Amino acid sequence: MYKSIEYSQRTHGCGLLNDDNVGDKVKLSGWVNRRRDHGGLIFIDLRDRNGLVQIVINPEEEKIFKVAERVRDEYVLSVEGEVSLRPEGTVNPKLSTGKVEVIAKKISILSAAKTPPFEIVDSLNVDESLRLKYRYLDLRRKEMLSNLKLRHNVTTTVRNFLNSYGFMEVETPYLTKSTPEGARDYLVPSRVQPGHFYALPQSPQLFKQILMVAGIERYYQIARCFRDEDLRADRQPEHTQIDMEMSFITQDDIISLMEEMVKMVFESLDMKLEVPFQRLTYDESMKRYGSDKPDLRFEMELVDISNLAANCGFKVFENVINSNGVVKGINALGCGDYSRGQLDELTKLASVYGAKGLAWMQIIEDGKVKSPIAKFFSEETRNSITDAFKAKPGDLLLFVADEKKIVCEALGQLRLYLAKKLGLIDESKYKFLWVMDFPMFEYDKEEKRYKAQHHPFTSPSKETVSFLDSEPLSVKTQAYDLVLNGVEVGGGSIRIHDRELQRKIFNLLGLSSEEVDEKFGFLIEAFKYGVPPHGGIAIGLDRLVMLLAGKDTIRDVIAFPKTQTATCLLTGAPDKVSDKQLRELNIRLK
RNA sequence: GGGGGCGUGGUGCAAUUGGUUAGCACACUGGCCUGUCAAGCCAGAGGUCGCGGGUUCAAGUCCCGUCGCUCCCGCCA
């Protein structure tokens, strides 16, 4: 619903007409959704952004009848006529305008249309590449239109919410400086500075922190972020963040503010949401769900049986424990009748995530199991294991033994796979969760150095900051990820505003002071002039809207997305450029 | 960089597992039709089986390569 602009081409929206309009003389403009020609009578469903209405063309109106005979699907028409109640028995309850129809008095064809390469219908089944090439036709479909409307409604609600809390929307540059670590940058060559490049921002991170130094106090931006990494269903080379930053704020303040914001988004869509959201530490999340973004719409928690495996008699388990690994498992409820083939499939899945094998135990009846590894265990150990999983006859226990990270990830993925397969997930549910207390660093085996798990400006927690020198891997951060239904939809942190601490972190990351000056000097310099304690968060708009729209890919909530090979099928980008352009940029292709 | 799936009229699919004229539905074109809304009925047009090479008497089908789309691993602070 929007204020009608009564201009000469249109007095009403097609889909907004109802029995209140009966008798009204209306002028409509839109596309021919469908024409039904009965020879002596023609119906046209006229579609605009508001929906459909049926136009009736009677043969007595000879002139317009002739025009209507020429009309085809997707022609653009201007129609003048009178709204009238449909005759008894011809009401269409499937249409919001189904009680009425418009008796045409005048029709003009504003634009003819080729037959589209696919039908403009709700339940469309065509290859996505065709939809992307003709995106303007795809977006005419109600489903896609409503996705864009949903996205617009979310950003509108967010803007209103943040404005009401005194946030200022500030734009930050798209042409900026390449920074080390993180994702691969998209580079833009400078013409006036030959051999120099801008980078498109992976996020407005540094600028928003500088805005805090500038005294903006509360900033937000619906910001485009660019990352030149391989694509996935939920990853595009450019994505949109609801990005914000606040001064004089604590982690809990930010969290409750976000909970209110998300709640308001849900309310604007007539959905209820319970706040506060559940919180899990990173360690607990990995331990119980094998993921730092667990889907909590179902249980099936991981169970650690390392203590039982330590001296169980099964060499594979024992060796893993002796080399500091773990043995964990999940109970695939009711999967005790899985065939060898099905078990092989699960094994294959586990191997994708690095597991060298998958052990299983089918529970046949109380105290009895079928399993290739059961023979290694004493009855006592076996019972302890089945007890640990609360296994009942008909259940299937799956075990992975390896280093901790692999065990958790493999089982976490099996957990998800099984839940989907077994229908354990209530698709109508929205389960939010905060994951917190992330480790500050992870050790990069290849590069033999520490890397920041979040980013190098993340503040360590007060409780663990003292471990920086002794055990860096034990240092936790004041960072928080927002997870919805197993999808990371946001993340942020309290930033470091102490220069000494920042220098120490850079040191631990192996950045020399020269490198720091070269890459972040402007931020360090800014921090010398009075920096307020600050923190922030960014919400992934595409992912959030994707989940709200019930879609499996963010491409469905982006007007013009790119394919997995990062091309735009509509425009043909990326493309070659002329020699002249290259010369001007001082670039020679190999 | 790696693994899986798909590619046949405009669209979605089929084609006995190597066999003769590549079939079906929808869409499209024409005709008939005054109450349809997935309109109906009749007729018709439309194919370099993604592309290139190979095996064979014979390839949509088998082999090799390549391109496109897609899902995943790596990657994504």
Side-chain angles (χ1 to χ4, degrees), chain A residues 114-127:
Chain A
K114 280 174 70 174
T115 302
F118 52 85
E119 290 180 79
I120 315 298
V121 293
D122 294 340
S123 53
L124 186 67
N125 180 25
V126 293
D127 196 272

Side-chain angles (χ1 to χ4, degrees), chain A residues 50-63:
Chain A
N50 307 287
L52 296 179
V53 71
Q54 174 165 280
I55 313 289
V56 183
I57 300 100
N58 288 303
E60 294 78 43
E61 306 275 353
E62 277 180 42
K63 249 172 78 183

Side-chain angles (χ1 to χ4, degrees), chain A residues 39 49 124 177 181 184 193 226 235 250 255 276 318 389 437 469 474 511 513 535 548 558 590:
Chain A
R49 214 180 83 184
L124 186 67
K177 191 178 163 79
E181 307 213 27
R184 197 176 290 118
Q193 310 255 9
F226 305 87
R235 273 163 36 187
T250 65
I255 283 176
E318 287 179 1
F389 287 93
D437 294 341
D469 298 311
S474 302
L511 289 167
S513 49
L548 291 170
I558 296 173
K590 270 211 279 189

Side-chain angles (χ1 to χ4, degrees), chain A residues 377-439:
Chain A
F377 302 132
S378 68
E379 191 176 340
E380 194 194 340
T381 308
R382 226 168 51 213
N383 287 338
S384 303
I385 290 174
T386 51
D387 284 353
F389 287 93
K390 299 189 182 73
K392 289 193 279 295
D395 287 349
L396 170 69
L397 304 183
L398 299 165
F399 309 97
V400 177
D402 213 309
E403 62 177 272
K404 194 171 159 187
K405 196 180 162 203
I406 288 176
V407 169
C408 290
E409 262 177 45
L411 286 171
Q413 293 294 336
L414 280 171
R415 173 180 176 268
L416 275 178
Y417 172 85
L418 286 164
K420 275 177 202 149
K421 194 163 172 170
L422 299 172
L424 301 181
I425 301 174
D426 178 353
E427 298 285 348
S428 66
K429 237 178 173 175
Y430 288 94
K431 182 68 186 167
F432 278 96
L433 155 83
W434 291 104
V435 179
M436 321 193 41
D437 294 341
F438 285 86

Side-chain angles (χ1 to χ4, degrees), chain A residues 522-567:
Chain A
F522 59 100
L523 184 74
I524 306 299
E525 178 72 7
F527 276 22
K528 291 176 186 165
Y529 292 91
V531 51
H534 61 288
I537 189 167
I539 305 292
L541 179 67
D542 312 281
R543 288 181 183 175
L544 178 63
V545 175
M546 169 187 85
L547 292 167
L548 291 170
K551 297 290 147 196
D552 296 319
T553 163
I554 60 172
R555 293 189 299 274
D556 280 344
V557 298
I558 296 173
F560 303 104
K562 295 187 173 53
T563 68
Q564 193 162 47
T565 43
T567 60

Side-chain angles (χ1 to χ4, degrees), chain A residues 125-171:
Chain A
N125 180 25
V126 293
D127 196 272
E128 196 180 350
S129 56
L130 203 64
R131 290 172 52 204
L132 291 176
K133 181 174 177 187
Y134 298 97
R135 192 59 157 179
Y136 40 88
L137 299 178
D138 192 32
L139 294 177
R140 285 182 191 174
R141 297 165 49 234
K142 197 165 79 191
E143 185 189 346
M144 292 303 288
L145 179 62
S146 76
N147 290 348
L148 292 186
K149 279 183 186 167
L150 172 66
R151 187 181 176 114
H152 168 73
N153 289 342
V154 169
T155 53
T156 301
T157 305
V158 161
R159 281 199 165 97
N160 289 340
F161 176 86
L162 292 173
N163 292 345
S164 77
Y165 274 90
F167 282 77
M168 264 172 74
E169 186 164 13
V170 181
E171 291 164 85

